[in-house]
Amino acid sequence: MISDADAFMEARQEWRSIRVNTLKIDRDELMERLQERYEIKEMPWYENGLFIKGENISKNMEYYLGYYHIQEAASMIPPLLLNPEKNEIIIDLCAAPGSKTTQMAMMMENYGIIIANDSNPIRLKALTHNIQRAMATNCIVTNYDGRYMDKTGIKADKILLDAPCTASGKVIKDKKLLERWNYGRIRKMSALQKSLIRAACNLLEEDGILVYSTCSIEPEENEDVIDYAIKKFDMEVEKASLKGIKTREGIKEWDGKEYEWASKAIRIWPQDNSTEGFFICRLRKC
Amino acid sequence: MQIEKVLGRKEKRELESRIEKNYGCKIGLEKYNIFMTKEEKIWLASPSINFSIFDILKRCYRIGIYFGKLKRNNKIKLSMEGAMIVGKKATKNVVFLDIKEAEKFMQGYDVVPGELMEAETHNFVIVKCGSDVIGTGILRDGYVENLVPKARRMVKV
């Protein structure tokens, strides 16, 4: 799949990443406060993302007050590519624990509506906790099985589907993930992801935008799911690009299948930016 | 989530005056959709949220953020975010803590109050450290009773 597999295996993360909660504090003010105790580096691809080095980043006053959220650097990208606007209805189909939901609320400055859905009642607690902490007043938390949420009849201008996955892109944080690699699980996840993207396509308004992402590197969970949406639900892939981060194109051929559109999707590899691995694709409903 | 009442203009004004009476400041609540659930809990939502959406979304778990709870004698117990909204302008029932006491407070302990701003004993107070609003408590004789919820407490280093 990749020519630099050794670099992939050896990738390490020295810095942690946080997102400034601009609903509570100004970015420069937070930076000034944190710089007294931590090493801080700006995130080239997102102005409200920061890299931080130091002890106890979840045990200080600023964290306690919800001035920032600890969030993986690559996971800040799907909301950026979705680009939610103030007057829109957004559905975050698999929202818990709410990092991307609260990032979108912040981008929308608490206007518009975000329907933050998750099927797991236990994970809903984390989601509501983070929404409260972020002071995100434009969120409605719902508890539908995402695969059937289209039955409600609700329609959205934009949808974020950060699908449940095998999380193989998190190998940079946990090498043991590779020991648990299991093809049966990948197939099972792929089926679930296809059910979710089917519902997401039905939930979209005409001309609406869907951003699909996972933190898995498996083509079965990424390119194959997008290909299914293109062929079954009249979806069109839009070119995704972002400045300040090294990205690679999607995989064009896998397991006898060809994905002609794959150059428009984004893959983020751990060895390129010292982040988790991510797949992100932006689609428009024709 | 069972909404018992959506607050109209008049009820919002009543809530504003309750806040003013308790915390000495006028907070414009017109910009929010406000509703009440059981036990007189008050929630704030963005004005973009039209409540008719709930005719479609039956499995609604939560809307907006928890602001506070109405209490007897015209008092109001604010959530941490409620305190942050009100606390910036509050001139009454405010307690200031030094950084050492503030850290104890954030960890969930009762603390010794520092400077008091028109604070009544046995009433709810907004707790601040410098310009940061760090939560709410009840001012008792010689100490501040901690009301920081367990899930929000700062883990001791």
Side-chain angles (χ1 to χ4, degrees), chain A:
Chain A
M1 199 185 327
I2 43 168
S3 55
D4 51 352
D6 290 344
F8 170 77
M9 291 302 295
E10 285 159 17
R12 294 274 184 281
Q13 245 178 344
E14 286 179 19
W15 295 77
R16 293 187 74 183
S17 50
I18 61 171
R19 174 175 48 80
V20 182
N21 180 10
T22 54
L23 294 173
K24 283 191 170 175
I25 194 168
D26 177 72
R27 171 190 180 268
D28 293 341
E29 192 187 335
L30 180 69
M31 271 184 81
E32 203 175 302
R33 287 174 69 143
L34 292 177
Q35 270 163 347
E36 291 169 10
R37 284 157 288 150
Y38 299 97
E39 231 181 300
I40 301 283
K41 212 167 65 168
E42 291 183 24
M43 199 174 281
W45 58 91
Y46 183 36
E47 58 174 348
N48 292 315
L50 299 171
F51 288 110
I52 185 166
K53 208 189 265 185
E55 297 290 308
N56 303 316
I57 64 167
S58 64
K59 293 170 187 165
N60 61 40
M61 185 193 256
E62 289 78 12
Y63 180 76
Y64 163 90
L65 293 170
Y67 290 170
Y68 67 84
H69 185 82
I70 300 170
Q71 184 177 350
E72 161 57 33
S75 96
M76 297 180 201
I77 296 170
L80 296 179
L81 293 181
L82 188 70
N83 191 26
E85 294 188 30
K86 287 180 182 180
N87 58 344
E88 290 176 329
I89 297 179
I90 312 292
I91 295 178
D92 188 351
L93 201 55
C94 306
S99 301
K100 297 176 193 74
T101 308
T102 51
Q103 183 184 346
M104 290 193 290
M106 204 177 98
M107 292 168 77
M108 296 163 85
E109 294 174 19
N110 264 339
Y111 288 96
I113 300 176
I114 300 175
I115 299 167
N117 180 72
D118 208 277
S119 62
N120 184 334
I122 296 164
R123 284 166 60 86
L124 281 185
K125 284 191 180 165
L127 175 60
T128 52
H129 174 86
N130 283 322
I131 287 172
Q132 175 77 23
R133 209 169 153 271
M135 219 191 253
T137 55
N138 64 343
C139 296
I140 300 170
V141 178
T142 60
N143 179 215
Y144 289 98
D145 182 331
R147 294 174 295 178
Y148 312 112
M149 195 176 175
D150 51 331
K151 287 183 180 167
T152 58
I154 192 106
K155 292 281 179 190
D157 301 300
K158 288 177 181 165
I159 295 179
L160 178 65
L161 173 52
D162 184 51
C165 64
T166 56
S168 49
K170 286 184 191 276
V171 70
I172 193 167
K173 287 191 175 128
D174 181 7
K175 300 288 178 214
K176 284 183 180 164
L177 274 171
L178 293 173
E179 292 167 19
R180 297 196 292 269
W181 191 92
N182 174 322
Y183 192 64
R185 204 166 152 246
I186 293 170
R187 298 301 305 168
K188 205 173 153 187
M189 278 297 174
S190 181
L192 171 64
Q193 289 150 352
K194 284 175 184 169
S195 303
L196 287 165
I197 208 165
R198 182 202 60 78
C201 294
N202 290 335
L203 284 162
L204 262 186
E205 294 277 13
E206 287 297 310
D207 214 34
I209 299 290
L210 165 68
V211 166
Y212 176 87
S213 62
T214 72
C215 59
S216 162
I217 57 167
E218 316 299 336
E220 290 87 346
E221 297 184 65
N222 298 312
E223 284 84 353
D224 202 40
V225 178
I226 299 300
D227 205 51
Y228 168 78
I230 295 169
K231 286 175 179 159
K232 297 265 184 188
F233 305 106
D234 273 343
M235 299 296 285
E236 198 177 84
V237 178
E238 291 195 333
K239 176 83 181 160
S241 64
L242 198 67
K243 284 180 185 164
I245 185 166
K246 183 179 173 187
T247 60
R248 302 191 201 185
E249 294 178 348
I251 289 166
K252 289 176 182 153
E253 205 180 323
W254 184 255
D255 201 20
K257 290 181 186 170
E258 282 186 21
Y259 308 116
E260 288 168 12
W261 48 267
S263 60
K264 295 178 182 172
I266 281 181
R267 271 181 173 263
I268 294 161
W269 291 92
Q271 66 271 35
D272 289 342
N273 308 282
S274 296
T275 64
E276 284 180 4
F278 246 81
F279 172 87
I280 311 158
C281 188
R282 182 179 153 105
L283 303 113
R284 186 180 291 273
K285 190 171 184 175
C286 302

Side-chain angles (χ1 to χ4, degrees), chain A residues 33 64 67 132 141 143, chain B residues 59 61-62 66 81 132 134:
Chain A
R33 287 174 69 143
Y64 163 90
Y67 290 170
Q132 175 77 23
V141 178
N143 179 215
Chain B
R59 292 180 67 91
Y61 184 82
R62 184 68 63 84
Y66 175 49
E81 277 62 40
D132 292 314
I134 61 170

Side-chain angles (χ1 to χ4, degrees), chain B residues 27-40:
Chain B
I27 300 294
L29 295 174
E30 272 304 312
K31 60 180 174 184
Y32 296 105
N33 264 330
I34 306 179
F35 59 95
M36 198 185 280
T37 54
K38 63 179 180 184
E39 295 167 347
E40 300 203 296

Side-chain angles (χ1 to χ4, degrees), chain B residues 117-146:
Chain B
M117 197 187 262
E118 280 194 54
E120 300 161 44
T121 314
H122 307 298
N123 197 1
F124 294 104
V125 285
I126 291 173
V127 182
K128 292 178 88 169
C129 176
S131 59
D132 292 314
V133 176
I134 61 170
T136 55
I138 301 174
L139 183 63
R140 302 291 187 197
D141 292 316
Y143 71 100
V144 180
E145 187 182 320
N146 198 306

